[in-house]
Amino acid sequence: MTAPGGGALATRGGATVRRMKWSLELSLGNSSRSRGDRQSKDGDVMYPVGYSDKPVPDTSVQEADRNLVEKRCWDVALGPLKQIPMNLFIMYMSGNTISIFPIMMVCMMAWRPIQALMSMSATFKLLESSSQQWLQGLVYLIGNLLGSALAVYKCQSMGLLPTHSSDWLAFIEPPQRLEIMGGGMVM
Amino acid sequence: MAWLVVRLAISMSLLYTASAVFEDQVGKFDWRQQFIGKVRFALFDTHSQASKKLLLATDKNVFASLNSRTGDLFWRHVDKTGPEGHIDALLMYGQDAVVVVGNGRLLRSWETTVGGLKWETVLDTGSFQAAALVGVQDFVKYVAVLKKSAISLHDLSSGSEIWVENLPDSDSVQYQTIYSGGNGLVLVLGVVPNSHIVIVEYKIEDGEIMNKKSVEAAWMSSLESSCAVVSSGILLCVDQITQSLYTLPLQSAEQTEMRQIHLQTLDLEVVSGFRPVLTSTQPNPAQPPLSEFFLQLSPDHHILLQFKDGLIAPLRDFNPAYLAAFATSGERTVAAVMSPKNDTACSINLFSADTGRRHLDTTIIYHMDPNGGKPNRLYVHAFLKKDDSVGYRVMVQTEDLALTFLQQPGRVVWMREEALADVVTMEMVDLPFTGTQAELEGEFGKKADGLLPMVLKRLSSQFILLQAWLAHLWKLFYDARKPRSSVKNEVTIDVLSRDEFNLQKMMLMVTASGKLFGIDSKSGTILWKQYLENIQPNSVFKLIVQRTTAHFPHPPQCTLLIKNKDTGLGSLYVFNPIFGKKSQISVPALPRPILQTLLLPVIDQDYAKVLLLIDDQYKVTAFPSTKNVLQQLQDTASSIFFYLVDSSQGKLSGFRLRKDLSTELIWEVVIPTEVQKIVAVKGKRANEHVHSQGRVMGDRSVLYKYLNPNLLAVITESTDTHQERSFVGIILIDGVTGRIVHEAVQRKARGPVHFVHSENWVVYVYWNSKFRRNEFSVLELFEGAELYNSTVFSSLDRPHPPQVLQQSYIFPAPINTLEATLTEKGITSRHLLVGLPSGNILSLPKLFLDPRRPEMVSEQSREENLIPYAPEMPIREEWFINYNQTVSRVRGIYTAPSGLESTCLVVAYGLDIYQSRVFPSKQFDVLKDDYDYILISSVLFGLFFATMISKRLAEVKLLNRAWR
């Protein structure tokens, strides 16, 4: 559906074809064709030649920004630790009875640190730009471990951990008997 | 987590301890059969033509009325057991049935239509001799009761005593019979053995002695067995030594000697050693008896004779004839005679009594059961047909206590197996798989012979299964088109197969009369029966299942040990429990008395468990005793122990098997018989499984149970029965080492003691004679917080004694029998089944019988779900598993596990048999009966379709959005 002429004629569909007979793209050549196609999809804005829609990054690093990054990274690293008082409060409020809500709480409390620990590498990537990357990672790890320890403690206090001998009672096999015995009253 | 599950399970079980059935469950999985016992008296209600009643009095002290068309019970009265309730005589006149009970203690009159008591009188003491209805001028108004030293006359309508008279010379004369011919006199006949007969005449109005005479009769020892009154007051006696008949007119003054008629003159002869029997009939008590009578000369020779003008004339000779009986309808009296036809059948014919002529077309063919006994009693019900001829029905009682009711021309109207009123022991055996299932099983049982034949075999058996399934579908389809009523679900041996959950089993019942029964546990249908002849009445039976149905193609095998109490000799009867057929296996000869048996878990090459029989020289006989078995026995001999308890010597002794099948005594405990005697001893049931090895405490530690499989509970009772000094003792003793594990004594208590020994506990019931009440006591044994050896149990290596806990409770009722429920894996909580004298069976949760029940409730005990101790044990009506289906005189309860862990099969037997299922922890592994399948499936399907539709809609919407 290209019309003959000096430039490539782009059409966007039958309906458009009906609306306008032709359109001209100013940029020439195969390399810019694809870009022109994309541009035409984004809107019917024609960019002047040589225009790039990607912003040019500002490469000059400023001291204030660096502080900001550090701060941001510490926020990420301290996040799990900050949640602990909150978790403690929830733990206290939910009590030790076994019912659906405390169980849900415990599950959430246990699941969140585990999830965080599993996505540790992603977090490290986040902290990449910080200078105290390793310290922050350690703090983050400790915070999560503390969180899961708290969950385990909660499970323990609720009696959900198989730490007693009674929890393994069902798995004890009846002992094998060595003697065969029988008899009774004299018939 | 396990702890959580246990906690949840306990709290659930607490919620649902009530185990009553719902109204719509009645009869769904339970049934009851009522029995009466061996018939001693049977009378047909003849006062109206349409009457269907048959009155029976039995040796089980039961007085009952049967529907003669169906054999069902109209009503039944069960009296006390033993001589107190013994029914001495049954007389019937019109609507009234008069019964003398308890060796002449009570005289009762029953209304026969509904079975209501009309009146009851207490008679004077004295042993009962005879009772008779007394009529005056064609009306029966009185009943006379003869005791050893007195005669009394009672009014028939009110029971009031008219008069009572002492008999003259009652210490030397044995008065035995009463005769009244309706002429205003009651005659009492007595005999001084081998000397003379005494006849005393009493006036009916006031009991005045009108006449008294004695007649010489030196040959006579007993009136009752050899004499009868015929015609108008002629005493007729028979004597086998002189081979003569003697006659005496009772009321003639001139004749002082009995007239002798030699049997030779009638061309008759009594078989030597047989006591001849005279049978006469008196159709109406207000009139003299008929002049015709039967004389039985040998076990199968009867003769009908007539007494006329002082002469005796034979009317008809019945040779051979097993049984003969008179019956009267209206004015006509007939005689029914049973004669052998061939080996398997008898023919019964009707003859007119006055001429001896045979009635035409009155033959009834009675087919004898090849597995049953010989007929020994004949009861005839004669009635007038519309054309004024006499019709009749007969009831035949056989040696094996089967009652068969027949009508012409030999149709069996109904049959009752009264032997089942006295079940001695029973077992339950799994049913076999169906033929197709067995085919598959057999495939794996056979030895492998190459890959290709195995594949082919597999394919062929799969094809057979497919065929069977298609046939089943076709049958379903075919039956669905028929009206529901015509589809009969008859249970026969051929269609018997194990159901999905193994809930249907074969009940093997051994009865005191020596008859074995195989009964389908689901419906109560008798599938086979086998009468073992020549069983002594007091024999001891022991039923052993040697091979179950699990070893296809080997048939299951049961062994019955029958021990004759008099000679002490035992015999073995080996049979297939499913089909009841006697097995062809050779049985070892047992020349010496057998003391005990021991079933070993050792199996021979045919998968039969080995049975050891211990004789009075403590030598052991193995059955089966193949080379393989003997080899295995030699290998394991050092670990086979047995114990014997001799109650008469108060001795418990333990033996160990030697390699040469002799034994050595290894321990002996003597309990002095002057102080106490051993009443009972029980080990644990061999098929019992204990799932949990301990109990969880409130602090979540474990208290381990002392599960000694060799532990025996021995119950003793004091010989001193004084209520202050009597006691009941219990000794827990290890059967291997003889070590006494625990001993307890209940002071001021006496038996009968009922007890159950299971898992790590013993529950026993006794009578507390101080407080005059029944008490339950429970003993529980624990090993402590640590197991000594968790892998093997050896009685020879138990250094620590167990901790013993005990608690007692008051039970507000006497009990007849006690048993515990049993399940497949032992996970389900246990209940005790208590048979009460009222006939109810109480399912009592073991939870209530727990020695750890605390007096003060603490946090820990609450955590453990222990009920605080209360001395009184409750009886709740909803715990009765048999609601109103009471079991009279319940004597034993048998429990068996089913394929479902929640379900335990229960059979209670006594006079009646009741079968049911109990669910001690509710049916946790089965959907409820009223489970709403429609709702659930419609919701499921609804959700499924809703998901499908919404998914499609969502797709469309997404697509549309993409197009926008």
Side-chain angles (χ1 to χ4, degrees):
Chain A
M1 279 203 198
T2 46
L9 188 77
T11 52
R12 288 171 306 161
T16 339
V17 171
R18 254 175 267 126
R19 211 167 61 213
M20 52 186 89
K21 282 263 164 56
W22 56 270
S23 70
L24 179 75
E25 190 159 356
L26 285 171
S27 56
L28 289 169
N30 281 335
S31 59
S32 62
R33 186 119 165 244
S34 60
R35 212 187 74 204
D37 273 353
R38 198 181 67 239
Q39 277 174 359
S40 63
K41 237 175 229 169
D42 289 339
D44 291 336
V45 186
M46 293 294 161
Y47 296 116
V49 181
Y51 178 79
S52 164
D53 55 347
K54 263 191 188 160
V56 182
D58 183 8
T59 50
S60 66
V61 182
Q62 289 164 12
E63 196 60 30
D65 288 352
R66 192 173 280 281
N67 281 343
L68 215 62
V69 167
E70 288 285 297
K71 212 179 158 195
R72 188 85 205 111
C73 284
W74 273 116
D75 273 353
V76 171
L78 288 172
L81 275 178
K82 279 180 186 159
Q83 268 184 354
I84 285 175
M86 179 65 178
N87 278 350
L88 276 171
F89 181 69
I90 293 174
M91 262 170 67
Y92 170 71
M93 289 305 281
S94 59
N96 280 343
T97 50
I98 294 173
S99 59
I100 184 83
F101 283 104
I103 295 258
M104 271 165 61
M105 299 277 187
V106 169
C107 281
M108 265 190 6
M109 273 167 64
W111 180 239
R112 231 184 282 153
I114 291 167
Q115 214 175 13
L117 287 176
M118 285 203 302
S119 55
M120 203 58 183
S121 54
T123 321
F124 260 79
K125 216 162 259 168
L126 264 179
L127 302 175
E128 229 167 24
S129 51
S130 160
S131 59
Q132 291 165 306
Q133 184 189 354
W134 292 108
L135 183 67
Q136 283 165 348
L138 195 69
V139 168
Y140 184 77
L141 185 73
I142 287 170
N144 275 319
L145 284 178
L146 271 177
S148 44
L150 212 60
V152 169
Y153 170 73
K154 180 69 185 168
C155 281
Q156 160 78 17
S157 60
M158 279 171 82
L160 293 175
L161 291 186
T163 51
H164 292 263
S165 51
S166 59
D167 299 317
W168 306 99
L169 184 62
F171 302 102
I172 300 177
E173 289 294 315
Q176 195 196 338
R177 99 185 247 204
L178 287 185
E179 292 99 7
I180 302 166
M181 189 222 53
M185 286 271 214
V186 171
M187 278 173 83
Chain B
M1 278 315 278
W3 174 75
L4 172 73
V5 172
V6 167
R7 242 182 83 155
L8 276 173
I10 291 174
S11 52
M12 292 305 267
S13 68
L14 265 180
L15 276 174
Y16 299 111
T17 41
S19 56
V21 289
F22 290 101
E23 196 177 347
D24 58 344
Q25 282 181 314
V26 164
K28 213 165 181 180
F29 45 75
D30 64 322
W31 51 263
R32 177 181 66 164
Q33 287 174 4
Q34 291 185 304
F35 299 97
I36 50 175
K38 181 184 179 182
V39 173
R40 292 183 63 233
F41 306 102
L43 294 172
F44 288 94
D45 184 3
T46 48
H47 92 278
S48 80
Q49 282 294 327
S51 176
K52 293 184 280 189
K53 268 190 295 300
L54 165 60
L55 292 177
L56 299 160
T58 70
D59 68 339
K60 294 261 169 231
N61 304 349
V62 173
F63 178 48
S65 169
L66 289 187
N67 183 338
S68 64
R69 306 282 150 83
T70 62
D72 298 334
L73 282 172
F74 276 128
W75 46 261
R76 182 180 75 167
H77 293 288
V78 182
D79 213 325
K80 286 175 190 154
T81 48
E84 253 187 301
H86 185 259
I87 296 173
D88 301 311
L90 169 64
L91 306 164
M92 187 160 82
Y93 185 74
Q95 291 270 36
D96 302 335
V98 178
V99 176
V100 184
V101 180
N103 200 10
R105 191 171 52 90
L106 293 168
L107 185 66
R108 284 181 183 146
S109 173
W110 299 92
E111 216 281 325
T112 54
T113 41
V114 291
L117 184 67
K118 282 178 83 172
W119 51 260
E120 180 185 79
T121 16
V122 181
L123 299 175
D124 292 340
T125 51
S127 78
F128 173 81
Q129 296 296 330
L133 293 170
V134 178
V136 188
Q137 289 155 1
D138 283 355
F139 286 104
V140 180
K141 280 186 179 167
Y142 309 108
V143 56
V145 179
L146 178 70
K147 297 264 188 119
K148 199 170 173 10
S149 60
I151 177 169
S152 57
L153 198 73
H154 298 264
D155 189 75
L156 193 59
S157 56
S158 68
S160 59
E161 191 178 272
I162 312 283
W163 49 261
V164 56
E165 291 293 328
N166 281 328
L167 295 163
D169 312 324
S170 61
D171 32 348
S172 60
V173 184
Q174 296 174 12
Y175 290 98
Q176 287 176 337
T177 44
I178 310 178
Y179 165 72
S180 164
N183 52 0
L185 290 173
V186 179
L187 278 71
V188 177
L189 283 75
V191 65
V192 177
N194 304 318
S195 171
H196 60 274
I197 304 174
V198 179
I199 301 160
V200 190
E201 290 178 20
Y202 287 93
K203 210 169 145 189
I204 286 180
E205 285 78 39
D206 51 7
E208 186 191 336
I209 294 181
M210 301 298 288
N211 191 6
K212 177 175 179 286
K213 67 175 178 181
S214 60
V215 178
E216 202 75 10
W219 46 270
M220 185 180 282
S221 57
S222 167
L223 263 173
E224 236 177 345
S225 54
S226 59
C227 291
V229 180
V230 296
S231 194
S232 49
I234 310 292
L235 180 70
L236 187 76
C237 296
V238 64
D239 179 42
Q240 78 263 37
I241 295 157
T242 54
Q243 296 270 348
S244 324
L245 286 167
Y246 295 88
T247 61
L248 174 75
L250 288 170
Q251 281 166 286
S252 78
E254 59 268 28
Q255 198 176 341
T256 54
E257 202 172 77
M258 293 190 89
R259 206 153 63 83
Q260 187 178 15
I261 302 167
H262 279 282
L263 284 172
Q264 264 182 339
T265 59
L266 301 165
D267 279 342
L268 299 174
E269 197 191 351
V270 179
V271 175
S272 63
F274 182 76
R275 216 187 159 86
V277 181
L278 282 169
T279 315
S280 68
T281 178
Q282 186 175 10
N284 186 348
Q287 278 169 3
L290 294 186
S291 52
E292 290 80 20
F293 59 93
F294 272 111
L295 174 63
Q296 189 181 6
L297 296 166
S298 76
D300 53 359
H301 186 191
H302 286 78
I303 185 157
L304 183 65
L305 298 161
Q306 190 179 38
F307 181 86
K308 207 171 190 180
D309 308 329
L311 290 172
I312 289 171
L315 287 178
R316 195 173 182 122
D317 194 356
F318 300 102
N319 191 10
Y322 291 143
L323 300 164
F326 284 111
T328 304
S329 176
E331 294 296 304
R332 296 162 73 173
T333 300
V334 288
V337 178
M338 179 191 266
S339 332
K341 192 161 178 264
N342 51 37
D343 285 351
T344 59
C346 288
S347 66
I348 304 163
N349 282 295
L350 207 60
F351 300 87
S352 83
D354 44 356
T355 59
R357 237 196 334 248
R358 211 189 111 192
H359 286 232
L360 290 175
D361 301 328
T362 54
T363 307
I364 291 179
I365 304 293
Y366 168 67
H367 291 280
M368 286 192 284
D369 186 356
N371 302 326
K374 290 195 186 75
N376 63 358
R377 292 290 283 275
L378 182 68
Y379 303 96
V380 184
H381 178 214
F383 53 89
L384 287 174
K385 289 189 199 162
K386 279 187 185 121
D387 58 352
D388 211 32
S389 62
V390 180
Y392 76 121
R393 300 185 188 96
V394 292
M395 186 172 79
V396 182
Q397 185 178 21
T398 50
E399 285 171 345
D400 55 334
L401 309 187
L403 290 178
T404 315
F405 196 79
L406 300 140
Q407 71 177 35
Q408 284 175 341
R411 192 170 76 82
V412 176
V413 184
W414 49 261
M415 205 170 165
R416 289 180 71 90
E417 290 291 350
E418 291 304 333
L420 284 171
D422 206 349
V423 175
V424 181
T425 177
M426 69 165 292
E427 281 289 340
M428 268 184 162
V429 180
D430 294 350
L431 288 174
F433 291 113
T434 53
T436 47
Q437 275 174 309
E439 184 80 20
L440 266 187
E441 286 272 308
E443 186 193 327
F444 300 113
K446 282 167 203 156
K447 286 193 177 71
D449 43 4
L451 191 67
L452 194 68
M454 286 287 276
V455 171
L456 286 178
K457 214 183 268 174
R458 183 75 218 229
L459 282 178
S460 69
S461 49
Q462 292 280 15
F463 181 69
I464 291 168
L465 273 184
L466 182 74
Q467 241 178 347
W469 185 65
L470 286 177
H472 173 72
L473 278 189
W474 171 246
K475 193 175 174 296
L476 271 184
F477 173 69
Y478 197 76
D479 283 348
R481 295 189 310 171
K482 281 195 228 166
R484 184 153 293 181
S485 55
S486 69
V487 183
K488 263 191 186 168
N489 277 326
E490 247 176 48
V491 187
T492 56
I493 285 182
D494 309 318
V495 299
L496 262 189
S497 66
R498 194 182 299 189
D499 61 339
E500 213 176 340
F501 297 124
N502 201 3
L503 291 166
Q504 189 178 7
K505 292 198 180 194
M506 177 69 90
M507 288 161 55
L508 300 178
M509 295 195 137
V510 182
T511 61
S513 61
K515 198 169 187 183
L516 308 182
F517 290 90
I519 299 174
D520 169 35
S521 76
K522 197 174 183 183
S523 60
T525 321
I526 295 171
L527 295 171
W528 58 264
K529 48 202 167 189
Q530 178 72 48
Y531 178 57
L532 308 177
E533 277 168 50
N534 305 323
I535 300 281
Q536 295 301 311
N538 60 348
S539 296
V540 184
F541 299 91
K542 193 162 182 182
L543 184 62
I544 302 129
V545 182
Q546 279 195 289
R547 183 164 56 216
T548 59
T549 33
H551 304 286
F552 187 83
H554 299 288
Q557 181 183 324
C558 277
T559 303
L560 180 69
L561 173 69
I562 306 149
K563 187 179 171 182
N564 188 328
K565 264 278 181 192
D566 301 329
T567 61
L569 291 177
S571 59
L572 292 177
Y573 177 79
V574 185
F575 63 101
N576 178 333
I578 304 299
F579 301 102
K581 290 197 189 81
K582 190 174 176 178
S583 171
Q584 299 302 320
I585 293 171
S586 63
V587 170
L590 304 171
R592 302 211 61 84
I594 296 298
L595 295 184
Q596 250 311 330
T597 62
L598 168 58
L599 188 70
L600 298 181
V602 176
I603 53 170
D604 72 345
Q605 70 272 31
D606 290 340
Y607 304 101
K609 282 185 184 165
V610 177
L611 183 70
L612 296 185
L613 302 147
I614 299 126
D615 64 20
D616 63 344
Q617 291 188 331
Y618 308 110
K619 285 240 165 37
V620 167
T621 314
F623 169 69
S625 58
T626 56
K627 206 173 241 175
N628 177 308
V629 169
L630 294 177
Q631 183 59 44
Q632 285 193 58
L633 277 182
Q634 278 198 358
D635 297 345
T636 52
S638 59
S639 66
I640 296 173
F641 297 83
F642 63 93
Y643 69 95
L644 287 173
V645 181
D646 192 343
S647 176
S648 59
Q649 295 175 24
K651 204 165 72 179
L652 293 111
S653 27
F655 299 85
R656 180 212 285 262
L657 195 68
R658 286 213 197 106
K659 285 199 193 306
D660 59 346
L661 293 190
S662 64
T663 57
E664 57 179 327
L665 183 74
I666 49 173
W667 59 267
E668 200 167 49
V669 173
V670 178
I671 291 165
T673 45
E674 305 87 64
V675 184
Q676 52 188 335
K677 67 170 197 295
I678 301 167
V679 182
V681 58
K682 264 186 202 172
K684 283 169 191 168
R685 287 180 68 167
N687 56 348
E688 178 184 270
H689 292 275
V690 183
H691 178 74
S692 181
Q693 299 295 306
R695 284 189 56 170
V696 182
M697 301 286 97
D699 59 357
R700 296 176 62 194
S701 62
V702 178
L703 189 59
Y704 288 99
K705 295 174 183 172
Y706 180 74
L707 295 166
N708 183 349
N710 307 321
L711 196 68
L712 307 173
V714 182
I715 298 281
T716 61
E717 277 177 33
S718 62
T719 42
D720 190 349
T721 51
H722 186 272
Q723 66 160 30
E724 284 294 314
R725 292 187 296 271
S726 66
F727 64 87
V728 165
I730 180 163
I731 304 167
L732 301 180
I733 189 165
D734 190 297
V736 170
T737 58
R739 172 171 153 162
I740 292 175
V741 173
H742 182 69
E743 213 173 343
V745 165
Q746 223 76 40
R747 295 201 186 284
K748 289 169 189 160
R750 61 179 165 81
V753 180
H754 302 275
F755 70 113
V756 175
H757 181 196
S758 178
E759 287 190 26
N760 64 330
W761 47 265
V762 181
V763 171
Y764 58 103
V765 192
Y766 52 87
W767 170 258
N768 185 329
S769 49
K770 186 184 180 192
F771 295 107
R772 310 182 63 75
R773 65 192 182 197
N774 283 87
E775 285 182 4
F776 259 104
S777 195
V778 57
L779 274 172
E780 249 178 67
L781 291 93
F782 292 99
E783 245 179 63
E786 267 172 48
L787 274 179
Y788 173 68
N789 187 342
S790 61
T791 50
V792 290
F793 188 96
S794 168
S795 286
L796 302 168
D797 177 29
R798 303 302 293 178
H800 311 298
Q803 301 169 9
V804 184
L805 301 173
Q806 181 161 22
Q807 233 172 39
S808 295
Y809 314 89
I810 304 163
F811 192 67
I815 79 160
N816 269 11
T817 182
L818 193 67
E819 188 53 84
T821 59
L822 194 65
T823 51
E824 180 90 15
K825 298 263 180 268
I827 298 168
T828 309
S829 60
R830 308 291 294 268
H831 276 202
L832 288 172
L833 298 169
V834 187
L836 303 175
S838 61
N840 285 308
I841 294 158
L842 181 77
S843 182
L844 187 69
K846 171 71 179 55
L847 215 63
F848 283 92
L849 291 156
D850 183 355
R852 304 195 65 256
R853 281 174 68 175
E855 279 179 48
M856 300 292 284
V857 186
S858 66
E859 187 62 42
Q860 295 235 332
S861 70
R862 201 176 294 135
E863 195 85 338
E864 260 187 82
N865 277 314
L866 291 173
I867 310 160
Y869 179 73
E872 294 87 8
M873 188 76 73
I875 292 187
R876 294 195 197 141
E877 260 90 68
E878 67 264 25
W879 288 351
F880 291 154
I881 60 166
N882 56 345
Y883 44 106
N884 63 357
Q885 306 281 298
T886 53
V887 186
S888 280
R889 296 203 193 127
V890 53
R891 207 172 43 243
I893 296 174
Y894 179 86
T895 52
S898 73
L900 281 176
E901 172 53 33
S902 66
T903 311
C904 169
L905 304 176
V906 176
V907 181
Y909 53 88
L911 190 60
D912 305 337
I913 295 174
Y914 177 78
Q915 191 277 141
S916 185
R917 299 175 195 161
V918 287
F919 319 102
S921 301
K922 280 269 153 181
Q923 283 182 288
F924 58 81
D925 48 3
V926 183
L927 291 180
K928 272 184 202 150
D929 278 346
D930 53 355
Y931 186 76
D932 205 341
Y933 291 94
I934 297 167
L935 182 76
I936 295 288
S937 46
S938 58
V939 166
L940 260 181
F941 278 111
L943 281 174
F944 177 71
F945 284 120
T947 321
M948 297 288 281
I949 291 164
S950 54
K951 195 177 168 194
R952 175 88 195 122
L953 287 176
E955 267 173 14
V956 169
K957 196 170 181 186
L958 268 180
L959 196 68
N960 284 345
R961 191 186 287 160
W963 278 119
R964 205 175 292 148

